[in-house]
Amino acid sequence: MAPRRASTKGFKRTATLLTGQIRRASESRGFAQSRLLTDWAEVAGPDVAAVARPVEVSYGRGGMGATLTLLTTGAQAPMLEMQKDQLRAKVNAVYGYNAIARIRITQTAATGFSEGRVAFGAAPKSAGVVPPDPSVRAAASTATAPVQDDSLRAALERLGTHILTKEKQGTRT
């Protein structure tokens, strides 16, 4: 029986095609180990990865250790401040030696406010959402009944329900 041949038909894995480009892009930001960026959740842990991400590794003039800059929100900064030593140990385990001497926590990107958008994930939907009053929903449905397009009518009905609910609560100005 003949040995099995790979049947990739000339295709390559995306990871093998992008490895060089990812390495060059990460090295331009000071990340000698691109694994720090690509596997941040694994390196830092899911709790830290949910609230912070690495922005830059900068090397001082003396060459005695680098500074890792983490981007986070203002509310999470004190929590990360308390975990700096443990986080530095985890990051240095990726490098294999004490490459990172300091961790700096910032609430904006190192290059300025334009890149400082923090989007670590969607906020959880609140479980205590109160359904609208049936009379309000009926009024919105009656107002949108002449609309022919089903999706437009449904969207307008949701909008009308929202507006009428706010007016009824007295929170719409």
Side-chain angles (χ1 to χ4, degrees):
M1 189 170 210
R4 184 174 180 272
R5 285 187 15 192
S7 59
T8 59
K9 307 262 192 255
F11 291 100
K12 293 183 179 180
R13 287 192 169 140
T14 305
T16 59
L17 294 173
L18 295 177
T19 300
Q21 292 175 339
I22 290 172
R23 184 174 30 79
R24 281 191 298 279
S26 60
E27 285 174 353
S28 71
R29 290 291 239 169
F31 293 97
Q33 293 288 330
S34 60
R35 181 171 177 247
L36 190 61
L37 291 175
T38 58
D39 299 334
W40 176 244
E42 185 180 317
V43 171
D47 294 338
V48 173
V51 297
R53 67 176 177 198
V55 176
E56 179 184 35
V57 174
S58 57
Y59 297 92
R61 292 183 190 175
M64 298 301 291
T67 301
L68 171 65
T69 304
L70 296 178
L71 175 65
T72 189
T73 59
Q76 299 298 332
M79 189 255 325
L80 284 175
E81 191 72 35
M82 300 298 286
Q83 297 179 357
K84 275 185 176 180
D85 291 332
Q86 295 91 349
L87 192 56
R88 189 171 56 81
K90 289 178 182 180
V91 170
N92 283 332
V94 171
Y95 281 93
Y97 65 99
N98 284 333
I100 304 296
R102 292 166 301 285
I103 294 181
R104 184 175 69 124
I105 298 170
T106 183
Q107 296 172 30
T108 183
T111 57
F113 289 102
S114 65
E115 286 186 17
R117 296 180 201 98
V118 179
F120 297 109
K125 295 201 177 228
S126 62
V129 175
V130 179
D133 185 7
S135 64
V136 170
R137 185 172 287 207
S141 179
T142 304
T144 59
V147 177
Q148 298 292 325
D149 187 358
D150 292 336
S151 61
L152 178 60
R153 183 174 52 251
L156 289 172
E157 188 174 327
R158 285 191 307 271
L159 177 64
T161 301
H162 181 71
I163 290 172
L164 292 173
T165 301
K166 294 292 181 183
E167 285 178 352
K168 190 172 186 180
Q169 293 173 351
T171 57
R172 184 168 181 261
T173 56

